[in-house]
Each structure stands twice: as structure tokens, then as C-alpha cells.
Amino acid sequence: MNNNYFFALGLMSGTSLDGVDIVYVKFKRNDYSFFEILQAETIPYSIEWKQQLQNAIHFSSDELKKLDISYGKYLASLINNFVFNYKIEELAFVASHGHTILHEPDKGITLQIGYGNEIAKLTKQKVVCDFRTQDVKLGGQGAPLVPIGDELLFSNINYCLNLGGFSNVSYHNKVSRIAFDICPVNIVLNLYANKLGLEYDASGEIASKGTINKVLLEKLNQLEFYQKNPPKSLGLEWVQQQILPLIDSLEKDVSNVLRTFVEHVAMQISSVLEDSKSVLITGGGVFNVFLIDRIKCYTNVKIVKASNNLINYKEALIFAFLGVLKIDNQINCLKSVTGASQNHSSGIVFLP
Ligand SMILES: Nc1ncnc2c1ncn2[C@@H]1O[C@H](COP(=O)(O)OP(=O)(O)OP(=O)(O)O)[C@@H](O)[C@H]1O
Ligand SMILES: CC(=O)N[C@H]1[C@@H]2OC[C@@H](O2)[C@@H](O)[C@@H]1O[C@H](C)C(=O)O
């Protein structure tokens, strides 16, 4: 055993409901910039779990309490399997984001299920969870929480850009960390790829064969959201109200839609990135070769190549890191990002 290092598990279940991401990470004592992802796996949801998590928004508070416990038991079983399969012997704690069921921070509500007490009991590990509630209590949005990880784990990089359902960015301006959603990405590209019977447009092949609809492109770029200053965020409702009707009224050909939307994304992303700065890009959109090429056409940024583990598991890694900060009683929620009344150390610790 080397006392300079310690090991943690990070668990994240994202909005896309593809599964639970688990990472086993090596951290260094007294050096927050060090991390190494040793093992990583996504455990896909069964149809039953997917349905339950999707429907839970309509559950009564008693039903939610039951789900909190049964989902906690489920996470515990995934952790036990992971520890067994990868022969993990050293583990300081588990940090679990859980799954977000309710999130209306302006009404003081945020709920991530997966009861930590259940996980601690069944895994016999120290567990840190419930990272968002305290921030909402302090008047913050309870999200995004990843930027503190960007700040401390990737301090040598100017921009951390995520290309998921939506694209978001975080960077340090002259005074503090800034983070915001830039524009929709895969949530829109997938919808149109689905019309061709595809899950997504692999490598952006179909988009690359389409033609730009200039009127549509201009109208997309003129949407009011893009003129607003951060902090700002996007949701599915906005896409349904502002983006889809616009596309459908102006372009019928799917490859032209994909081509035009890729151009829109590339233009919006490049408009927030300053030339010659470094950018770490993560999220599944990294594999859209055509989109990355288009971004490169508009900017002179230096793209830092991320490993596949980092591309796919950065959020789970950062929740493990938020656990490290909580256990060390250090700030893990930034008021400059969430709008809370103060910076604070968030999360609840459960002992086995
Ligand atoms: N080879 C590929 N070519 C093009 N696109 C890809 C490829 N692989 C993955 N993607 C895109 O990435 C998406 C998955 O990305 P990711 O897992 O980051 O999304 P997410 O978890 O829904 O995002 P978030 O929760 O951060 O919004 C896929 O749905 C698809 O659109
Ligand atoms: C409430 C909640 O679960 N929000 C998630 C969600 O998924 C993406 C986006 O919306 C982000 O705000 C957040 O997660 C990331 C990991 C965050 O907190 O940084």
C-alpha cells in the first residue's frame, strides 16, 4: 500500500438514461490535480429500470421513497459486482451522484435517488452522495457541478467543452469559473438520424453528404438564447418549442437538416472559444468526425486529445472528485457557476 495515493469509485447516471457509469480512480493526497482512471464501465439499464426512472416524475412521495431505497440497493449491487469483477482491493469511499428525478431549483426542489445509507450498508463502504440539495438550499441551481472538477483537475486547459445531448463549456475568466450551455447537439442530430432508422449519425457521415440550408442556418443562429449572457442553460422544452418547428418548416431532407445543424453547432461553439487557447473536448459528440472538422474550420483552438475513458467517463470521474473534496471538507460547489449565496462543500457522507 502506498500512502501517497488513495482510490475511489465514482458513479453517475445521466439524463440520457443509457446506464450507470462507474469509474475506479486513483487520487493523490495533497495534490488535487492528479487523477488516473484505472477501470471504467457503463452498466446499461434494463427496460424495467429505464421505465421506472422515466415514470418516477409522476410518483407520490411514498413511491419515491421506496424507489430511492430500491435504486440504492441496485447501485450497491452494481458496485459489489464491479469490485468483484475488477478485483478491487483498495477503496477509500464511493461517491454516487444517483439519478435525478426532480429538478426545479427555483422552487427549492432537486432529487437524486439512490439512498446512500442503503449503498453503504450493502457495500460496506463509506458513501458520499446527494451533491445538489445543499446548493439549491443556498439559492443555487444545484447544477452544473462539474466545473469545479474542470478547474482543479484540468487547470492547465483553457476550455472544457462537453458535446452531449447539449454542448456546455466551462472556463476561468479573469475572476472566476464560468459555465453555461452553448447549444443543443446530439439531442437534435439523433432525432433526425432516428428518422432514417439510425440511433445516431455515425462520424457525421450523413451530415457530410448534405447541403447547407442557408435560410435555416441564419434563423437558427439568430435565436434569442444565443444573444444572452451566461449563466444560461437549455432544456428539451426549448428544443421542442424553438428548434424543431423551425427546422421542420424550412427543410424536409434529413441529410440537409443534419448538415445545416452541424454547421450551426460548429458556429455557436466557435463563437465562445478564443483562438489559440486549449480545449478539452469530451462527450459522445467527439466521435462525430465531421462535426469536429467543422469546429476546426471556424477556430484556431488547440484541441487536447482526450482518452476514450475521459471522453466517456469525465462526469463520473468528477463526481468521485467531488467526494474527495467533501471528505476533505473543501469547496466543491462554486457560486459563480450555480448562483448559490456562497461557495460550499456539499454532499452527505454515510458510513457502513
Ligand atoms: N461514433 C459516433 N459518431 C457520431 N456521434 C456519436 C458517435 N458515438 C456517439 N455519438 C453521439 O454521442 C451521443 C452520446 O453522447 P453522451 O454519452 O455524451 O450523451 P449524453 O450522456 O446524453 O450527454 P449529456 O448527459 O452530457 O447531455 C450519442 O447519442 C450520439 O449522438
Ligand atoms: C440536475 C441534474 O442532474 N443536472 C445534470 C443534467 O445533465 C447534464 C446537465 O443537466 C447538468 O446540468 C447536470 O449534470 C452535470 C454532470 C453537472 O452537474 O455538471
Side-chain angles (χ1 to χ4, degrees), residues 163 167 182-186 188-189 217 220-221 226 258-271 291 294-295 298:
L163 301 178
S167 69
I182 303 175
C183 62
V185 183
N186 295 318
V188 172
L189 297 179
L217 180 61
L220 286 168
N221 285 333
Y226 301 122
L258 292 171
R259 177 69 189 86
T260 308
F261 205 77
V262 162
E263 202 68 12
H264 167 63
V265 171
M267 290 170 87
Q268 290 307 321
I269 286 176
S270 59
S271 75
L291 171 62
R294 294 311 302 158
I295 294 174
Y298 284 104

Side-chain angles (χ1 to χ4, degrees), residues 12 15 97 100 103 110 112 132 143-147 315 319:
M12 175 70 194
T15 35
H97 170 266
T100 296
H103 189 67
T110 188
Q112 286 70 45
R132 301 192 193 269
L145 300 186
V146 159
E315 290 179 351
F319 276 94

Side-chain angles (χ1 to χ4, degrees), residues 12 14-18 21 162-168 185-187 189-190 199-205 282-289 311-312 315:
M12 175 70 194
T15 35
S16 61
L17 274 171
D18 53 344
D21 294 337
N162 177 54
L163 301 178
F166 295 87
S167 69
N168 47 62
V185 183
N186 295 318
I187 196 165
L189 297 179
N190 287 359
E199 195 185 330
Y200 54 81
D201 178 14
S203 307
E205 273 289 316
T282 55
V286 171
F287 303 114
N288 189 325
V289 179
I311 291 171
N312 293 318
E315 290 179 351

Side-chain angles (χ1 to χ4, degrees), residues 9-11 93-97 126-129 131 319-323:
L9 285 186
L11 276 79
F93 65 87
V94 173
S96 172
H97 170 266
K126 186 192 277 187
V127 173
V128 195
C129 61
F131 289 98
F319 276 94
F321 182 60
L322 296 189

